[in-house]
Amino acid sequence: MENEKIMAVFNKIKKLTSEDKLIWKEEADGKTFYTSVNDYKVYIGKSVGTISFELFNHQNEGIGLLEFGGYSPDTKGLDTFYEYVRKKVLNIDDGLDDLLQQLDQLD
C-alpha cells in the first residue's frame, strides 16, 4: 500500500512538473533538485549511478523513497524524469539554442 501511494505521488509530481505547476531548484551539488508543496519537500538526485526520489514531511522526516539502480522495484520513468527535471532547471535547451546561434554567427 505504501509503495502504491509513493507511486501515486510520483506520478502526480511528474504531471504537475510537465504542466509547469511545480518549480524545481538546484542543490549545491548540482546533481540534486528539489521542489516544495506547502511544508513537504520532494528531492530527486543522482549519486553513483542511482537516482533517488525522496519525500519529506514538514518535520523533515523521510516519508517515501523510490530508486532507480537501487533496490526499489517501482521505478518506472524515474531516470527519464530526473533528466527532464535536470534539463528544465539548468535550462539546457536554452543553452544549446544559444550556443547554436553563436556558432551560426561564426559561420
Side-chain angles (χ1 to χ4, degrees), residues 46 99 103:
K46 188 173 192 176
L99 177 58
L103 289 170

Side-chain angles (χ1 to χ4, degrees), residues 4-5 13 17-19 37 61 64 68 90 93 95 101:
E4 290 173 15
K5 288 182 182 180
I13 295 285
T17 298
S18 70
E19 294 171 352
V37 180
E61 297 170 330
F68 176 81
L90 300 177
D93 286 336
Q101 258 184 346

Side-chain angles (χ1 to χ4, degrees), residues 60-72:
N60 207 30
E61 297 170 330
I63 58 171
L65 171 67
L66 293 175
E67 289 184 322
F68 176 81
Y71 299 107
S72 175

Side-chain angles (χ1 to χ4, degrees), residues 39-87:
D39 290 341
Y40 293 88
K41 287 217 175 170
V42 179
Y43 289 86
I44 190 164
K46 188 173 192 176
S47 177
V48 194
T50 299
I51 297 172
S52 300
F53 177 81
E54 298 180 78
L55 308 171
F56 293 87
N57 67 13
H58 58 281
Q59 296 172 331
N60 207 30
E61 297 170 330
I63 58 171
L65 171 67
L66 293 175
E67 289 184 322
F68 176 81
Y71 299 107
S72 175
D74 301 313
T75 59
K76 186 176 182 180
L78 188 56
D79 55 339
T80 305
F81 184 61
Y82 171 80
E83 286 302 319
Y84 177 78
V85 169
R86 186 181 74 81
K87 288 177 180 179

Side-chain angles (χ1 to χ4, degrees), residues 92-106:
I92 288 176
D93 286 336
D94 291 344
L96 290 172
D97 289 341
D98 185 45
L99 177 58
L100 281 170
Q101 258 184 346
Q102 290 184 34
L103 289 170
D104 286 343
Q105 291 173 2
L106 296 173

